[in-house]
Amino acid sequence: MLEPRKMSRLLIAGTKAEMGGVIADLYRRRLFHIEDFVGQEEYAGFRLGMPLAGATEASNELLKIRAATNAFGVHADGGPAPHRLSPAELRRSLQTELPEVDAQADELVTRRARLETRQKDLESRIAELQPFATVPIPMDLYRGYDSLAVLAGHVPADVTITAPHEKEYAGGKKGGFLVVFTPIGDRDAVERQLLDAGFAAVRIPDETGMPADAIARYQTEQASVEKELEGIGRQLAGLSELHASFLLAADELLSAEVEQAEAPLRFAVTDQTFVAEGWVPTADLPDIKASLERITGGKIHIEELPIDYDHDAVPVEYNNPRFAHPSELLVDLMSRPRYNEIDPTLLVSIVFPLFFGIILGDVGYGIVLLAMSFGLRRYLKGEAGNQLLDTLRNSSIAAIIFGLIYSEFFGVELPWKPLVFSRHLGIGSAAEAGAHGPDAAAMLIVSIWIGILHITLGRVLSIVNHARMDHGSHRTKAILAQTGWLAFMWGILVVIWSMYPIPLMLDLSAIGDVVAPIGLRPFGIIGIAMILYGMVAIGQENKLDLFELPTVISHVLSYARLLAVGLSSVAIALVTNYIALDLIVRPQLAALSPVGVVIIIVGILVLLIGHVVNLALGLLGSGLNSLRLHYVEFFTKFYKGGGRKYIPFGMKRLYTSEE
Amino acid sequence: MVDVSSAVLTAEMIQASQAGLKAVGAGLAVGLAGIGTGLGEMGIGAAAMGATAENRDMFGLALLFTVIPETIVIFGLVVALLLLFS
């Protein structure tokens, strides 16, 4: 808890004869994070290993499988298959089915490519012919002259040509199309005059007959090509359905084979031996040792190496109780924690839903979001999707609980008064009844309290982190600076408390008399001393940090969003209810008429749209603001991140069973 | 023409105009703060998008940078709420 899983650095050495067995066992267990061999100094005389036998064949087959997968448009949905194929069965069907599937895919894709080329060709031919369709001359007459030159192209307007010629002009909205026949001797003169008039020549297509007929002919062909392509698309979709499970399973099996066969590329080898370095969770160490020794009959050397935290990047795997697991997504979104720093996932998993609930706090919206977090599971698969929806589930439960406390159901008051603070604004019928507004000031103070405590917690965690990760004088300085930040923040609070009585906060303003020359009460002087100590403690670590002092105030005040964002969402809900129910529906219900029914339906639509929009805003606002309070205000106090992900050698099988 | 010099301000009128000015002030607080936040997030958001497009791992950090100016509008909102309700 609050710490990543303990890792041990392992060195495995053995003869090359054992390498295949060792790799297969490590792959199956999925615990060994391989440290790539990159020619480190202590490995003088070693070189990179070569892939195991069978790597090339497996790669080739994998290539064919992937080609077919692409051709058929097979998509993995991320979830495990309903029934998994056994590797032996799959290998048999790879022998029999793969050549056939591959041939089918190849044939269809080639045909499709040919048809698509033809389609493009037809399109460009039609486009070329289109302007000539406006000129009533068969295409044969444009070619085959010895003494005549033919020019065709677009002009902005009709052109008067002085040289001997014969022309056909067809005008259109955006300029016209011009065809000019002229004796070869006058070609230059005609061209010059045409260019002056803005003539843009086009190629004369190599066709016969009237242009309109040619276009019609091509369009018919186009339609048939289109039909054929559709047929191929249907065939591919059919094949995709037929072979999807086989292709996905085969892809998985072969990927596993290739990964295992290529593992020696990450090992150091000599002619007869191999050495693999890597990381395993300390708890699994005895297991791995025992199983490797059993497989090789004891002919292997396994040694646990000492860890040098300053130089070794230890891979980090979370170690959290089950309910905190979804929040790992939120922490990973920022950055994986380092190996020897505090992992804040557990805190996030508690505080994030809490903030979300405080902001949203509505039973109705909470229930809708809770239903969404279950309903969306069908579409959002894979681990990250599940984590996201689990976070949403926890958050919406918190929103429901706070909704009960605030007594809110889609903005409407539940049958009881709000238990602690009221967030109901005097809008609509409530205003007429003279209801008093929300307890904005009290809630603001509570929000600030939450901020003060959250930030204090962050600073305390930072002290722990510095104590663990730093060395020597730097450690002392860094820890002192953190106490300085704490003293500065609490010092400001003490000074304020000593001057003004604030509800829900400590009242120090009545204690002691004002000390004449300073103008402060005794606690005010203590507060000033704390502030001064804070500044000195911060400055001794890094003087530039003193410029950051105002963030103490802005970060604490930033927690006011817990109140502000929530109240604005309540306001939208109340206004929606007021407009839809009070202004549109209720007057019609008083005297029902056919038109009134239509207006009532409109009112219900307004109600629905308003609440859907507000729900979307509430989800975004509550989620993002809660996340922001963690990332900006909380994490910046202690969290470094940048740890290396623990990626064990092996594969989570979704489509095939273990051998 | 209304003779301004002879107009009499009753206590109700003063109260009403006070309430009205409060509402205007609240509106200005949120609106102007919103414009400020928008201007701040404009540049950051564009750069954050670019960084995320180049490297997906930047997303968390990019989000963090983008929402930093948002505090301004929250302050505006808090001021508005305090004006209206306390």
Side-chain angles (χ1 to χ4, degrees):
Chain A
M1 236 184 282
L2 292 182
E3 270 179 358
R5 203 183 285 185
K6 278 258 165 294
M7 291 280 166
S8 296
R9 190 179 179 129
L10 211 59
L11 180 142
I12 302 171
T15 61
K16 267 191 177 166
E18 310 292 348
M19 191 158 68
V22 169
I23 289 175
D25 190 50
L26 290 176
Y27 197 82
R28 197 169 54 243
R29 294 191 165 260
R30 227 162 73 82
L31 287 169
F32 190 67
H33 178 113
I34 300 179
E35 192 75 41
D36 288 358
F37 170 67
V38 287
Q40 294 94 322
E41 272 173 36
E42 60 268 32
Y43 280 101
F46 283 84
R47 55 176 194 277
L48 273 183
M50 297 291 284
L52 297 177
T56 324
E57 291 76 22
S59 298
N60 281 339
E61 284 190 338
L62 187 58
L63 214 61
K64 281 184 192 159
I65 292 282
R66 296 242 164 107
T69 310
N70 262 337
F72 298 159
V74 175
H75 292 294
D77 60 3
H83 60 93
R84 300 184 183 189
L85 302 173
S86 84
E89 193 185 320
L90 203 54
R91 282 212 180 81
R92 264 199 307 283
S93 43
L94 267 178
Q95 298 288 334
T96 54
E97 257 182 71
L98 180 58
E100 190 196 333
V101 171
D102 187 43
Q104 273 175 330
D106 204 40
E107 198 242 22
L108 284 174
V109 169
T110 322
R111 253 177 68 203
R112 187 174 61 185
R114 215 177 39 234
L115 286 172
E116 277 169 352
T117 321
R118 181 65 188 151
Q119 203 180 23
K120 289 226 177 69
D121 183 40
L122 287 172
E123 253 169 47
S124 68
R125 274 169 194 253
I126 291 173
E128 270 188 346
L129 275 169
Q130 215 82 54
F132 288 91
T134 51
V135 182
I137 301 176
M139 295 308 292
D140 319 66
L141 295 186
Y142 286 98
R143 292 187 307 273
Y145 301 111
D146 293 329
S147 55
L148 278 181
V150 187
L151 297 162
H154 298 278
V155 277
D158 201 0
V159 190
T160 330
I161 302 168
T162 49
H165 74 285
E166 199 168 305
K167 70 170 183 181
E168 279 288 344
Y169 176 77
K173 270 183 216 152
K174 296 179 205 159
F177 187 69
L178 184 71
V179 180
V180 183
F181 295 81
T182 177
I184 284 193
D186 294 314
R187 183 189 174 124
D188 285 349
V190 172
E191 258 183 357
R192 206 169 312 117
Q193 287 179 18
L194 282 175
L195 283 178
D196 287 344
F199 174 81
V202 298
R203 200 182 77 85
I204 296 167
D206 197 7
E207 301 285 347
T208 55
M210 292 304 280
D213 296 343
I215 290 178
R217 205 168 58 237
Y218 285 141
Q219 273 167 345
T220 333
E221 196 186 337
Q222 217 176 12
S224 82
V225 169
E226 193 88 23
K227 228 179 184 170
E228 225 172 312
L229 273 173
E230 266 170 35
I232 291 181
R234 267 198 303 280
Q235 255 175 302
L236 282 171
L239 287 172
S240 160
E241 209 156 295
L242 190 66
H243 296 303
S245 61
F246 163 68
L247 286 174
L248 290 171
D251 188 318
E252 184 172 285
L253 179 79
L254 290 170
S255 303
E257 270 178 25
V258 170
E259 267 182 56
Q260 291 180 56
E262 289 181 345
L265 288 171
R266 309 167 71 183
F267 295 168
V269 300
T270 61
D271 289 341
Q272 300 298 330
T273 60
F274 76 95
V275 178
E277 259 193 53
W279 303 87
V280 289
T282 309
D284 298 307
L285 190 60
D287 249 16
I288 287 201
K289 262 188 180 167
S291 112
L292 284 179
E293 266 159 17
R294 201 181 54 244
I295 275 182
T296 56
K299 286 185 282 182
I300 194 151
H301 171 76
I302 303 171
E303 187 186 335
E304 202 187 330
L305 299 175
I307 303 176
D308 176 3
Y309 290 107
D310 288 334
H311 293 106
D312 295 341
V314 187
V316 176
E317 171 67 348
Y318 290 110
N319 184 22
N320 287 308
R322 250 179 71 85
F323 89 97
H325 178 65
S327 302
E328 287 164 8
L329 179 76
L330 300 180
V331 179
D332 261 346
L333 202 61
M334 178 81 184
S335 181
R336 182 73 58 122
R338 292 186 192 192
Y339 182 67
N340 48 359
E341 87 177 316
I342 288 175
D343 167 19
T345 312
L346 187 65
L347 296 170
V348 175
S349 71
I350 297 168
V351 181
F352 179 86
L354 211 60
F355 283 178
F356 189 96
I358 292 176
I359 296 175
L360 193 59
D362 188 296
V363 179
Y365 292 144
I367 289 173
V368 174
L369 290 181
L370 191 63
M372 263 170 69
S373 76
F374 287 107
L376 286 178
R377 261 163 228 270
R378 204 170 301 170
Y379 307 100
L380 269 179
K381 287 188 179 161
E383 209 192 348
N386 270 334
Q387 284 178 310
L388 190 69
L389 292 176
D390 284 348
T391 309
L392 181 62
R393 181 198 59 206
N394 297 349
S395 305
S396 45
I397 290 173
I400 293 174
I401 293 172
F402 276 95
L404 294 173
I405 294 174
Y406 295 144
S407 180
E408 278 174 32
F409 184 84
F410 290 114
V412 182
E413 192 162 344
L414 288 164
W416 57 85
K417 288 272 157 224
L419 299 184
V420 189
F421 299 115
S422 165
R423 301 203 302 175
H424 295 278
L425 298 98
I427 291 176
S429 50
E432 286 151 30
H436 97 98
D439 305 318
M443 287 187 67
L444 181 65
I445 292 168
V446 172
S447 308
I448 299 296
W449 261 122
I450 294 174
I452 293 168
L453 297 180
H454 205 216
I455 287 176
T456 305
L457 176 65
R459 291 284 175 207
V460 171
L461 292 180
S462 175
I463 292 176
V464 178
N465 265 347
H466 280 297
R468 274 195 200 173
M469 296 168 76
D470 293 338
H471 304 291
S473 66
H474 180 63
R475 169 153 65 181
T476 328
K477 276 186 179 173
I479 291 175
L480 264 182
Q482 293 306 317
T483 62
W485 285 105
L486 278 175
F488 188 80
M489 183 173 78
W490 285 94
I492 293 177
L493 280 170
V494 169
V495 171
I496 294 174
W497 289 341
S498 78
M499 288 159 75
Y500 312 102
I502 299 173
L504 297 176
M505 286 201 166
L506 228 54
D507 182 10
L508 305 175
S509 63
I511 303 173
D513 294 320
V514 176
V515 180
I518 313 173
L520 286 169
R521 286 177 217 282
F523 272 106
I525 296 168
I526 294 175
I528 294 285
M530 285 166 79
I531 290 173
L532 290 177
Y533 162 76
M535 289 169 78
V536 172
I538 295 164
Q540 56 85 31
E541 197 212 0
N542 184 357
K543 286 184 190 61
L544 285 177
D545 277 354
L546 291 173
F547 288 102
E548 299 265 312
L549 284 177
T551 63
V552 170
I553 295 163
S554 71
H555 279 186
V556 171
L557 288 183
S558 179
Y559 282 80
R561 71 187 65 233
L562 291 177
L563 147 93
V565 176
L567 265 187
S568 57
S569 136
V570 175
I572 297 174
L574 283 173
V575 168
T576 303
N577 289 342
Y578 178 58
I579 292 175
L581 298 177
D582 289 2
L583 294 187
I584 303 180
V585 173
R586 204 154 291 151
Q588 298 303 326
L589 283 178
L592 263 182
S593 67
V595 182
V597 174
V598 176
I599 295 178
I600 288 175
I601 293 172
V602 171
I604 292 170
L605 270 181
V606 170
L607 190 72
L608 276 179
I609 293 171
H611 280 299
V612 166
V613 169
N614 194 26
L615 183 66
L617 283 176
L619 179 63
L620 268 183
S622 315
L624 274 184
N625 279 300
S626 176
L627 198 61
R628 174 228 151 88
L629 284 179
H630 279 93
Y631 284 175
V632 182
E633 273 80 19
F634 188 50
F635 279 10
T636 48
K637 304 289 177 291
F638 67 98
Y639 192 65
K640 289 217 169 59
R644 193 154 66 121
K645 253 186 198 165
Y646 167 68
I647 304 168
F649 177 60
M651 176 192 279
K652 202 172 190 177
R653 290 175 188 267
L654 297 172
Y655 306 104
T656 56
S657 54
E658 298 285 348
E659 286 183 64
Chain B
M1 277 294 275
V2 178
D3 187 1
V4 180
S5 59
S6 68
V8 181
L9 276 177
T10 62
E12 291 82 43
M13 285 166 77
I14 294 175
Q15 266 175 5
S17 63
Q18 273 179 346
L21 282 176
K22 260 189 178 178
V24 171
L28 283 177
V30 177
L32 293 179
I35 291 174
T37 296
L39 288 176
E41 284 186 357
M42 181 171 66
I44 305 175
M49 275 286 179
T52 314
E54 288 204 356
N55 179 3
R56 276 285 291 131
D57 294 345
M58 283 291 295
F59 180 77
L61 211 57
L63 184 71
L64 191 158
F65 287 142
T66 311
V67 297
I68 283 177
E70 209 180 304
T71 317
I72 306 169
V73 76
I74 299 290
F75 290 166
L77 204 52
V78 169
V79 168
L81 291 172
L82 288 179
L83 271 176
L84 291 177
F85 299 117
S86 63

